[in-house]
Amino acid sequence: MSTSHQPAPVPRTATGTFDTALHRAFGHPAGLLGRLGGWVMARGNAATEHRVVDLARLEPDETVLVVGPGPGVGLDAASRLAGEVIGVEPSAEMRALCLERCDDRVELRDGSAARTGSADDCVDVVLTVNNVEFWEDRAASFAELFRILRPGGRLLLSAHEKWLPVSRHELADEAAAAGFTDLQTWTWEPPGFAGLAAQLKALKPA
C-alpha cells in the first residue's frame, strides 16, 4: 500500500509576512527592503523604461508626467528629452532615489495615478511602467490621467503581463471608458530575464 505525501501547507502568518515583504520592496517601497527593491527595479525594468520613453517620441516643448517612477530610470530618460518632467510617487524611499538619479531636472510629488496633484489639461504625455497593478481604483486613475492630459495628449502604459489584474484588452476597455481613443495594445519581450510586457497606447481626443 503506497502512501502519497502532500506538501505541508504554508502557514498564513508566513504568507502574510511574505506579502508584506513584497509590498515593502515593490508595492510601496520602504526602508532597507525598499532600497533593495529599487535596485532590482532599476536593473530589471531599465529596458522597458527606455522603450516606453522611445515610443512616446517626446519633444523639447512637452510636459511629461511619470506615474510611479520607482528608482527613476524612465524619469531620467524622459528628462533628457522633454521640457518639463514630473514624477508622481507615493514612496519617499523611491523619491529619494529619483533625486539621486535625476538631480533637479525633475519635479517630484507624493501622489499616485488617482491623485497626481496636476491641473486640468496641463500634461502632454503620461508614462507608467509596472505600476498599474498597484492602482487601487483603476477607473478613478484612468479618469485622473485623462483629466490632466491636454487634448491630443497621449498615455503610454507598460506592465508585466503575468501581474496584470485584468487582461491587456480589458485594460484598454477601461481606458476607453475614461474617454481615451485610438487605443493600441500589444506585448513586447524585453531583453534578459524580464517577463513579457503588456503595453498600451491611448490618446485624449483633440
Side-chain angles (χ1 to χ4, degrees), residues 34-166:
R35 281 264 164 176
L36 177 61
W39 184 86
V40 171
M41 286 187 281
R43 285 150 182 79
N45 295 341
T48 304
E49 297 273 10
H50 284 286
R51 174 177 170 81
V52 168
V53 170
D54 289 344
L55 290 171
R57 299 184 181 276
L58 304 178
E59 298 291 340
D61 61 345
E62 289 187 315
T63 298
V64 179
L65 185 137
V66 181
V67 177
V73 173
L75 196 70
D76 175 57
S79 73
R80 298 176 186 277
L81 299 171
E84 181 181 0
V85 177
I86 303 160
V88 178
E89 170 62 60
S91 166
E93 196 73 52
M94 292 300 102
R95 292 197 301 273
L97 290 178
C98 285
L99 282 175
E100 290 177 13
R101 190 179 300 274
C102 303
D103 298 319
D104 58 355
R105 288 179 284 110
V106 301
E107 176 187 347
L108 285 167
R109 299 176 187 162
D110 178 4
S112 64
R115 183 175 57 85
T116 65
S118 294
D120 294 350
D121 304 331
C122 70
V123 172
D124 297 291
V125 183
V126 172
L127 307 176
T128 179
V129 173
N130 295 336
N131 185 256
V132 68
E133 56 267 38
F134 301 115
W135 296 0
E136 294 181 0
D137 186 334
R138 291 193 306 278
S141 297
F142 278 123
E144 170 72 354
L145 301 182
F146 186 87
R147 178 187 69 78
I148 67 172
L149 276 169
R150 294 188 175 106
R154 52 210 188 272
L155 164 69
L156 285 100
L157 179 155
S158 181
H160 293 298
E161 189 170 48
K162 66 180 179 180
W163 290 350
L164 280 178
V166 295

Side-chain angles (χ1 to χ4, degrees), residues 73 132 181 186 203:
V73 173
V132 68
T181 59
W186 66 95
L203 300 179

